[in-house]
Amino acid sequence: MAPLGRHGAGLRAEVGVAETGAERARRGKVRGSGSRWAEAMIPPQEASARRREIEDKLKQEEETLSFIRDSLEKSDQLTKNMVSILSSFESRLMKLENSIIPVHKQTENLQRLQENVEKTLSCLDHVISYYHVASDTEKIIREGPTGRLEEYLGSMAKIQKAVEYFQDNSPDSPELNKVKLLFERGKESLESEFRSLMTRHSKVVSPVLILDLISGEDELEVQEEVPLEHLPEGVLQDVIRISRWLVEYGRNQDFMNVYYQIRSSQLDRSIKGLKEHFRKSSSSAGVPYSPAIPNKRKDTPTKKPVKRPGHEHDFRVKHLSEALNDKHGPLAGRDDTLDVETDAYIHCVSAFVKLAQSEYQLLMDIIPEHHQKKTFDSLIQDALDGLMLEGENIVSAARKAIIRHDFSAVLTVFPILRHLKQTKPEFDQVLQGTAASTKNKLPGLITSMETVGAKALEDFADNIKNDPDKEYNMPKDGTVHELTSNAILFLQQLLDFQETAGAMLASQETSSSAASYSSEFSKRLLSTYICKVLGNLQLNLLSKSKVYEDPALSAVFLHNNYNYILKALEKSELIQLVAVTQKTAERSYREHIEQQIQTYQRSWLKVTDYITEKNLPVFQPGVKLRDKERQMIKERFKGFNDGLEELCKIQKAWAIPDVEQRDKIRQAQKNIVRETYGAFLHRYGSVPFTKNPEKYIKYRVEQVGDMIDRLFDTSA
């Protein structure tokens, strides 16, 4: 209706405009009538034209006005018609609304009622289903989850929901007791299945696989580490699902105890199996490969040489029993079995780290996060305690060996201690989150070994100093004393364990500088210790040399020992280590050796004194000798012959093992004697001092040299 009104108003506005134009025309006429006096002044022709023009304009205005009136009438008629149509349409809409709304409301109510009925029926079906859960699932629960874990867990989920329903809605109903009992039985079956899967499929890791695992990270080629498969993949997934169900729905942590007990047993048995493998290999096919003894492993089943993780693998641990042959000194008697035990223990330590890391990876998938550290701590206890107990037994055996002065046995501590220190960072990483008592086990063992090692070093030095002068134990031929060879051999062992031995000595220091000792500090301590041992050895050798009645044999003895020490120092790195604190050690030993050579050479003075020019008669050629002069010459020849024969007989049984030194001493002595004897023979060989010259001139100069060449040669 409003648009039509606006349109009518527009038409009226247009009419108003037209009317205004007519009025203007009438006003023009009035103005024209009022001005007729002026027209009289206009020429007749112009006035006529003007009038026609005005009349034409008026006529046009009238026609326009008439058109506007007609249009207005039509518009009014159209407006009336539209208003009538709209009024009719509105009336019809109201009638339709009054008839449809009740139907709609009734339909909506019916739909709501239908939904309520359907929901009620669904709820009834759901509630009724709880009453059938026990009968529907009893057979599955009774038969157990083996082989159909998915179906079994689905049944347990139904039972769980039934228990929750009856607890909330009918706590006194007998159905609640039924489903509760069924749920407990099902939970026990799952726990039993968990134990069964872990027991049946947890296998001991073979020694060959462990050795390959240990050696894997030292390969030159970068290889992707393949984790150990403790459980088959399918079994692992079942174990994980059961553990998660037991945690979430079973509210039971007993399975964690089952888990750590089974896995702990497998870990302990795996390490013991590796140790047994070493024992069997040593008895059947020789000593197996050892990270402490290169190229020792020959026929072990693994394809790759085993190397201990994080280790340089260049130990040169020597078999003292082989080096000393059948001697019975403080270092003699070391058995290969000892090496096997040491190597086995070192490998077991590395195996524990690797297997423990693998166990933790497995545990992370099965045990809930907030129980992982505690379970892992319990899991590794048996294997770790076994290693620590064996380590303490090694320490205890070393203490007993120290008391017996069997320092070869103490040497087993050195490679073990070094490996423990090198493995400690991995140990600490593996044991993160475990109890403090667990973390402190390895540091405690390391401290014990350092203490007993330092005690062994100190007692060894004292033993070298205080070794008794037993006459029956002295070498009859003046060769190297076994105390010297044992001492040098022991010191050479320390070369392979410089840092370890230095740390042992530093651990016993009480000064503030030792609290945080450096490698340089420990090196100086070791150098000082070696110099101390060598000093004690030198003092003891001097004391032992006095056992010999013959000063020459005493000099040979000291010469042999000093020379042996010097050669041993030069052939190894000991000389560089000694030079850290004693710069003149090498020169000092050379001076001692030269002094003993000179002392030995003085033993020949009683031979050469007979034939020197001192106190010999002076005579003129062709002049007959007096009896006194002839007797003097005879005595000189006889004294020389007897002395030469005696010394050669005695000194032939002496020994100088060093060929170079032996030849040097022989040559020097031969030159002196031959020169003196040659001059004496030249002067008196042709003098008629006897009727039997062959009785006194028994040896030519060359024969004397040959006799001296056979000195120090028991086979001659």
Short mmCIF file of all heavy atoms in Angstrom, two decimals, residues 303-330:
data_model
loop_
_atom_site.label_atom_id
_atom_site.label_comp_id
_atom_site.label_asym_id
_atom_site.label_seq_id
_atom_site.Cartn_x
_atom_site.Cartn_y
_atom_site.Cartn_z
N LYS A 303 82.33 -63.72 13.96
CA LYS A 303 82.97 -63.41 12.69
C LYS A 303 83.92 -62.24 12.81
O LYS A 303 84.86 -62.10 12.05
CB LYS A 303 81.90 -63.09 11.65
CG LYS A 303 80.98 -64.27 11.37
CD LYS A 303 79.92 -63.88 10.35
CE LYS A 303 78.99 -65.05 10.07
NZ LYS A 303 77.96 -64.70 9.09
N LYS A 304 83.65 -61.36 13.76
CA LYS A 304 84.47 -60.15 13.87
C LYS A 304 85.27 -60.20 15.15
O LYS A 304 84.81 -60.72 16.15
CB LYS A 304 83.56 -58.91 13.88
CG LYS A 304 82.79 -58.71 12.59
CD LYS A 304 81.81 -57.57 12.74
CE LYS A 304 80.65 -57.95 13.62
NZ LYS A 304 79.61 -56.93 13.67
N PRO A 305 86.47 -59.62 15.14
CA PRO A 305 87.24 -59.57 16.39
C PRO A 305 86.55 -58.67 17.39
O PRO A 305 86.09 -57.59 17.06
CB PRO A 305 88.59 -58.98 15.95
CG PRO A 305 88.28 -58.24 14.71
CD PRO A 305 87.16 -58.97 14.04
N VAL A 306 86.44 -59.16 18.60
CA VAL A 306 85.73 -58.41 19.62
C VAL A 306 86.63 -57.36 20.22
O VAL A 306 87.76 -57.62 20.58
CB VAL A 306 85.24 -59.36 20.73
CG1 VAL A 306 84.50 -58.59 21.79
CG2 VAL A 306 84.36 -60.44 20.13
N LYS A 307 86.10 -56.18 20.31
CA LYS A 307 86.85 -55.09 20.93
C LYS A 307 85.99 -54.47 22.00
O LYS A 307 84.79 -54.30 21.84
CB LYS A 307 87.21 -54.02 19.89
CG LYS A 307 88.10 -54.57 18.78
CD LYS A 307 88.38 -53.50 17.74
CE LYS A 307 89.24 -54.02 16.63
NZ LYS A 307 89.48 -53.01 15.59
N ARG A 308 86.62 -54.12 23.07
CA ARG A 308 85.87 -53.53 24.15
C ARG A 308 85.51 -52.11 23.81
O ARG A 308 86.32 -51.35 23.30
CB ARG A 308 86.68 -53.60 25.44
CG ARG A 308 85.88 -53.21 26.66
CD ARG A 308 86.55 -53.65 27.93
NE ARG A 308 87.80 -52.99 28.15
CZ ARG A 308 88.96 -53.57 27.99
NH1 ARG A 308 89.02 -54.80 27.60
NH2 ARG A 308 90.08 -52.91 28.22
N PRO A 309 84.25 -51.70 24.08
CA PRO A 309 83.82 -50.36 23.70
C PRO A 309 84.67 -49.28 24.34
O PRO A 309 85.03 -49.34 25.51
CB PRO A 309 82.38 -50.31 24.25
CG PRO A 309 81.98 -51.73 24.37
CD PRO A 309 83.22 -52.50 24.68
N GLY A 310 84.99 -48.26 23.56
CA GLY A 310 85.69 -47.10 24.08
C GLY A 310 87.10 -47.37 24.51
O GLY A 310 87.63 -46.68 25.37
N HIS A 311 87.74 -48.36 23.92
CA HIS A 311 89.08 -48.75 24.38
C HIS A 311 90.03 -48.77 23.21
O HIS A 311 89.64 -49.08 22.08
CB HIS A 311 89.00 -50.13 25.04
CG HIS A 311 90.21 -50.44 25.86
ND1 HIS A 311 91.33 -51.01 25.33
CD2 HIS A 311 90.47 -50.25 27.18
CE1 HIS A 311 92.23 -51.18 26.29
NE2 HIS A 311 91.74 -50.72 27.40
N GLU A 312 91.31 -48.43 23.45
CA GLU A 312 92.27 -48.40 22.35
C GLU A 312 92.72 -49.77 21.91
O GLU A 312 93.33 -49.94 20.87
CB GLU A 312 93.49 -47.56 22.75
CG GLU A 312 94.33 -48.15 23.88
CD GLU A 312 93.83 -47.71 25.23
OE1 GLU A 312 92.66 -47.29 25.33
OE2 GLU A 312 94.59 -47.78 26.20
N HIS A 313 92.48 -50.81 22.73
CA HIS A 313 92.75 -52.20 22.35
C HIS A 313 94.20 -52.46 22.00
O HIS A 313 94.52 -53.22 21.11
CB HIS A 313 91.88 -52.61 21.16
CG HIS A 313 90.46 -52.24 21.34
ND1 HIS A 313 89.70 -52.75 22.35
CD2 HIS A 313 89.68 -51.39 20.65
CE1 HIS A 313 88.49 -52.23 22.28
NE2 HIS A 313 88.46 -51.41 21.28
N ASP A 314 95.13 -51.80 22.64
CA ASP A 314 96.54 -52.08 22.34
C ASP A 314 97.30 -52.47 23.59
O ASP A 314 98.44 -52.12 23.78
CB ASP A 314 97.19 -50.85 21.69
CG ASP A 314 97.21 -49.66 22.63
OD1 ASP A 314 96.51 -49.69 23.65
OD2 ASP A 314 97.91 -48.71 22.32
N PHE A 315 96.60 -53.16 24.51
CA PHE A 315 97.29 -53.65 25.70
C PHE A 315 98.43 -54.57 25.28
O PHE A 315 98.35 -55.26 24.29
CB PHE A 315 96.35 -54.46 26.58
CG PHE A 315 95.34 -53.63 27.32
CD1 PHE A 315 94.41 -54.26 28.11
CD2 PHE A 315 95.32 -52.25 27.22
CE1 PHE A 315 93.47 -53.51 28.79
CE2 PHE A 315 94.39 -51.52 27.89
CZ PHE A 315 93.46 -52.15 28.68
N ARG A 316 99.45 -54.60 26.09
CA ARG A 316 100.51 -55.56 25.86
C ARG A 316 100.76 -56.35 27.15
O ARG A 316 101.87 -56.48 27.62
CB ARG A 316 101.80 -54.85 25.42
CG ARG A 316 101.66 -54.09 24.13
CD ARG A 316 103.02 -53.64 23.62
NE ARG A 316 103.75 -52.87 24.61
CZ ARG A 316 103.57 -51.57 24.80
NH1 ARG A 316 102.68 -50.92 24.09
NH2 ARG A 316 104.28 -50.92 25.69
N VAL A 317 99.64 -56.82 27.75
CA VAL A 317 99.77 -57.59 28.98
C VAL A 317 100.53 -58.87 28.69
O VAL A 317 100.17 -59.63 27.81
CB VAL A 317 98.39 -57.93 29.55
CG1 VAL A 317 98.54 -58.84 30.75
CG2 VAL A 317 97.66 -56.66 29.95
N LYS A 318 101.60 -59.11 29.39
CA LYS A 318 102.49 -60.22 29.10
C LYS A 318 102.23 -61.37 30.05
O LYS A 318 101.78 -61.18 31.17
CB LYS A 318 103.95 -59.75 29.22
CG LYS A 318 104.23 -58.56 28.33
CD LYS A 318 105.56 -57.93 28.67
CE LYS A 318 105.81 -56.73 27.80
NZ LYS A 318 104.87 -55.65 28.05
N HIS A 319 102.52 -62.55 29.62
CA HIS A 319 102.37 -63.72 30.47
C HIS A 319 103.67 -63.89 31.25
O HIS A 319 104.68 -64.35 30.72
CB HIS A 319 102.10 -64.96 29.62
CG HIS A 319 100.79 -64.90 28.92
ND1 HIS A 319 99.61 -65.15 29.56
CD2 HIS A 319 100.48 -64.58 27.64
CE1 HIS A 319 98.63 -65.02 28.70
NE2 HIS A 319 99.13 -64.67 27.54
N LEU A 320 103.61 -63.52 32.51
CA LEU A 320 104.83 -63.58 33.31
C LEU A 320 105.33 -65.00 33.49
O LEU A 320 106.53 -65.25 33.57
CB LEU A 320 104.58 -62.93 34.67
CG LEU A 320 104.18 -61.45 34.63
CD1 LEU A 320 103.99 -60.95 36.03
CD2 LEU A 320 105.23 -60.65 33.91
N SER A 321 104.38 -65.93 33.54
CA SER A 321 104.82 -67.31 33.71
C SER A 321 105.65 -67.77 32.52
O SER A 321 106.58 -68.56 32.66
CB SER A 321 103.60 -68.22 33.87
OG SER A 321 102.74 -68.08 32.76
N GLU A 322 105.30 -67.29 31.32
CA GLU A 322 106.10 -67.64 30.15
C GLU A 322 107.42 -66.89 30.16
O GLU A 322 108.47 -67.43 29.79
CB GLU A 322 105.32 -67.29 28.89
CG GLU A 322 104.03 -68.10 28.74
CD GLU A 322 103.24 -67.68 27.53
OE1 GLU A 322 103.73 -66.79 26.80
OE2 GLU A 322 102.15 -68.21 27.32
N ALA A 323 107.36 -65.61 30.54
CA ALA A 323 108.57 -64.79 30.51
C ALA A 323 109.62 -65.29 31.49
O ALA A 323 110.82 -65.22 31.25
CB ALA A 323 108.24 -63.34 30.80
N LEU A 324 109.16 -65.81 32.64
CA LEU A 324 110.10 -66.23 33.69
C LEU A 324 110.41 -67.72 33.63
O LEU A 324 111.18 -68.22 34.43
CB LEU A 324 109.51 -65.89 35.06
CG LEU A 324 109.27 -64.40 35.30
CD1 LEU A 324 108.59 -64.21 36.63
CD2 LEU A 324 110.58 -63.63 35.24
N ASN A 325 109.75 -68.41 32.68
CA ASN A 325 109.96 -69.85 32.53
C ASN A 325 109.70 -70.57 33.85
O ASN A 325 108.62 -70.50 34.40
CB ASN A 325 111.38 -70.14 32.00
CG ASN A 325 111.57 -69.56 30.62
OD1 ASN A 325 110.66 -69.59 29.81
ND2 ASN A 325 112.75 -69.04 30.36
N ASP A 326 110.71 -71.23 34.40
CA ASP A 326 110.50 -72.04 35.60
C ASP A 326 111.02 -71.37 36.85
O ASP A 326 111.29 -72.01 37.86
CB ASP A 326 111.16 -73.41 35.44
CG ASP A 326 112.67 -73.28 35.19
OD1 ASP A 326 113.11 -72.15 34.95
OD2 ASP A 326 113.37 -74.31 35.25
N LYS A 327 111.19 -70.04 36.81
CA LYS A 327 111.71 -69.36 37.99
C LYS A 327 110.61 -69.23 39.04
O LYS A 327 109.43 -69.28 38.75
CB LYS A 327 112.25 -67.99 37.62
CG LYS A 327 113.48 -68.09 36.71
CD LYS A 327 114.08 -66.74 36.44
CE LYS A 327 115.31 -66.84 35.56
NZ LYS A 327 115.91 -65.54 35.29
N HIS A 328 111.04 -68.99 40.25
CA HIS A 328 110.08 -68.93 41.35
C HIS A 328 110.31 -67.67 42.16
O HIS A 328 110.63 -67.70 43.33
CB HIS A 328 110.22 -70.17 42.24
CG HIS A 328 110.04 -71.45 41.49
ND1 HIS A 328 108.82 -71.91 41.08
CD2 HIS A 328 110.96 -72.35 41.05
CE1 HIS A 328 108.97 -73.06 40.44
NE2 HIS A 328 110.27 -73.35 40.41
N GLY A 329 110.13 -66.56 41.50
CA GLY A 329 110.30 -65.29 42.19
C GLY A 329 108.96 -64.73 42.59
O GLY A 329 107.93 -65.38 42.49
N PRO A 330 108.93 -63.49 43.03
CA PRO A 330 107.68 -62.88 43.49
C PRO A 330 106.68 -62.67 42.37
O PRO A 330 105.51 -62.47 42.64
CB PRO A 330 108.13 -61.53 44.06
CG PRO A 330 109.46 -61.27 43.43
CD PRO A 330 110.07 -62.60 43.21
#
